[in-house]
């Protein structure tokens, strides 16, 4: 099996200049943001002062939030999987709407579930990208869909994974999502795949947040590569014999596990040397989540809850 590997897009970092003082003002350097972001308002002044409130807002709350979102996502996925709710809803929908009467519905029925799920996720990236193009939404998008590490806005840890800085950025990430997402959605199933994507995104955002806080880096970031890197890691471990190649350069190829190791090495070096072009901390967050999930996390986050919910459903007579 040959898969396309897109590593050049990644999670983009948007450079913001700031004075080298004990505090940072986001108002400085906002004109250096990409054009789509420069028209919108930037987060207010954030203090670097070392006190309990600062670390609670910038460290403790993000850790709790990302953990809760990840565990909650897997809880919902486990419940739906154990109760077979998705299949039941589909049967009810088919009976109510009589799917198959129109050519569009017949075409939709021929699309595999994995491709539907991955396509819907890719469509959400496109929708958010188009929302950035609406001037009246710039303020809302900046507050919730661009990760400013020092803003203490938890919604940015979710929304930034749906945003992309350019059409090329969006194109490469959706291509990578389709390449690795479809086989993993087939392997995981739709519920587990979506929960995994949420977990990889939360891990990427959290590691990026913690790295920014402890290194006092105020560079905003955005992009779905944290999710994609998690999928690449899971794919490499479950499809080790697959051949991965670079798009447009098919002569550069290699086994999946070796390519994943190379990606991790590049991100570790980039993080150590302070490279600013890509969000290496976010990449590593997604990669580490993919590894942890395949090496024991799956049984804790998904398999055990599915078994527990199934047993509960049987005892309750549902």
């Amino acid at each position: 099996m040959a898969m396309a590997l897109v590593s050049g897009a990644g999670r983009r970092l948007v450079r913001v200049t700031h004075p080298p003082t004990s505090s940072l003002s986001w108002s400085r350097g906002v004109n250096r943001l990409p054009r789509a972001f420069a028209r919108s308002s930037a987060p207010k002044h954030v203090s670097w002062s070392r006190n309990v409130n600062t670390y609670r807002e910038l460290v403790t709350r993000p850790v709790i939030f990302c953990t809760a979102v990840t565990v909650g996502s897997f809880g919902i996925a486990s419940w739906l999987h154990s109760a077979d709710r998705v299949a039941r809803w589909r049967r009810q929908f088919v009976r109510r709407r009589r799917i198959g009467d129109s050519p569009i519905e017949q075409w939709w029925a021929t699309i595999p579930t994995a491709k539907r799920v991955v396509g819907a996720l890719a469509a959400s990236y496109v929708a958010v990208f188009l929302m950035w193009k609406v001037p009246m939404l710039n303020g809302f998008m900046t507050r919730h869909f661009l990760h400013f590490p020092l803003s203490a806005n938890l919604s940015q840890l979710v929304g930034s994974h749906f945003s992309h800085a350019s059409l090329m950025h969006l194109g490469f990430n959706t291509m990578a999502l389709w390449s690795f997402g479809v086989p993993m959605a087939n392997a995981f199933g739709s519920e587990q795949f979506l929960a995994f994507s949420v977990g990889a995104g939360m891990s990427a955002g959290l590691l990026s947040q913690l790295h920014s806080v402890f290194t006092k880096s105020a560079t905003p970031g955005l992009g779905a590569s944290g999710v994609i890197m998690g999928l690449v890691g899971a794919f490499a471990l479950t499809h080790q014999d697959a051949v991965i190649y670079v798009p447009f350069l098919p002569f550069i190829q290699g086994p999946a596990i070796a390519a994943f190791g190379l990606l991790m090495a590049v991100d570790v070096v980039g993080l150590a040397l302070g490279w600013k072009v890509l969000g290496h901390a976010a990449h590593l967050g997604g990669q580490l989540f993919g590894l942890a999930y395949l090496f024991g996390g799956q049984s804790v986050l998904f398999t055990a809850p599915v078994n527990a919910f199934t047993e509960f459903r049987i005892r309750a007579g549902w």
Side-chain angles (χ1 to χ4, degrees):
M1 178 186 295
M3 302 297 297
L5 172 62
V6 180
S7 60
R11 182 177 177 88
R12 300 306 298 269
L13 296 179
V14 183
R15 185 177 299 278
V16 178
T17 59
H18 57 79
T21 63
S22 60
S23 60
L24 295 175
S25 174
W26 285 109
S27 61
R28 293 179 179 268
V30 69
N31 291 329
R32 294 178 180 264
L33 294 173
R35 185 175 302 175
F37 312 130
R39 293 190 297 269
S40 55
S41 57
K44 296 181 179 179
H45 178 85
V46 180
S47 175
W48 271 118
S49 59
R50 294 177 176 271
N51 56 55
V52 175
N53 290 333
T54 298
Y55 281 98
R56 182 176 62 191
E57 292 296 318
L58 300 181
V59 177
T60 306
R61 289 179 69 242
V63 169
I64 294 174
F65 175 78
C66 291
T67 302
V69 171
T70 300
V71 173
S73 298
F74 276 101
I76 295 173
S78 301
W79 174 257
L80 291 174
H81 185 80
S82 65
D84 199 24
R85 290 292 179 85
V86 174
R88 197 174 306 171
W89 289 339
R90 287 172 183 161
R91 289 194 295 270
Q92 293 174 355
F93 183 76
V94 169
R95 287 196 296 269
R96 184 170 63 251
R97 291 286 308 278
R98 298 177 63 189
I99 287 181
D101 291 345
S102 71
I104 295 179
E105 290 171 334
Q106 292 177 3
W107 167 77
W108 180 255
T110 63
I111 301 176
T113 301
K115 291 186 177 180
R116 296 183 195 178
V117 173
V118 176
L121 186 57
S124 70
Y125 297 161
V126 175
V128 171
F129 181 77
L130 294 177
M131 290 172 67
W132 275 107
K133 303 302 181 181
V134 181
M136 68 175 59
L137 295 178
N138 285 166
F140 173 81
M141 299 301 291
T142 301
R143 287 192 299 271
H144 301 290
F145 287 86
L146 180 62
H147 182 209
F148 288 90
L150 307 182
S151 68
N153 187 344
L154 298 178
S155 65
Q156 295 176 359
L157 293 170
V158 178
S160 62
H161 296 287
F162 293 86
S163 295
H164 293 85
S166 65
L167 187 61
M168 181 178 294
H169 188 202
L170 172 67
F172 275 118
N173 273 358
T174 52
M175 185 188 304
L177 175 66
W178 187 263
S179 297
F180 298 103
V182 172
M184 293 316 302
N186 276 320
F188 284 154
S190 57
E191 303 96 334
Q192 187 179 184
F193 169 79
L194 290 174
F196 178 91
S197 298
V198 171
M202 290 296 95
S203 297
L206 180 60
L207 191 56
S208 179
Q209 170 76 17
L210 297 179
H211 175 261
S212 296
V213 170
F214 290 110
T215 61
K216 296 186 177 181
S217 171
T219 307
L222 76 171
S225 60
V227 176
I228 294 168
M229 288 298 175
L231 292 172
V232 172
F235 179 87
L237 293 177
T238 56
H239 301 75
Q240 297 188 17
D241 295 331
V243 176
I244 291 182
Y245 64 89
V246 178
F248 314 115
L249 299 173
F251 53 87
I252 301 179
Q253 56 182 264
I257 194 67
F260 178 65
L262 179 61
L263 280 177
M264 286 199 72
V266 170
D267 286 320
V268 169
V269 172
L271 199 64
L273 298 181
W275 295 347
K276 298 297 184 180
V277 177
L278 300 177
H280 297 288
H283 289 186
L284 282 173
Q287 293 161 356
L288 292 174
F289 180 84
L291 292 176
Y293 189 76
L294 269 296
F295 284 109
Q298 185 177 28
S299 61
V300 175
L301 290 172
F302 189 74
T303 306
V306 166
N307 293 336
F309 286 141
T310 301
E311 183 178 353
F312 171 80
R313 181 167 60 92
I314 293 174
R315 291 184 177 181
W318 289 6

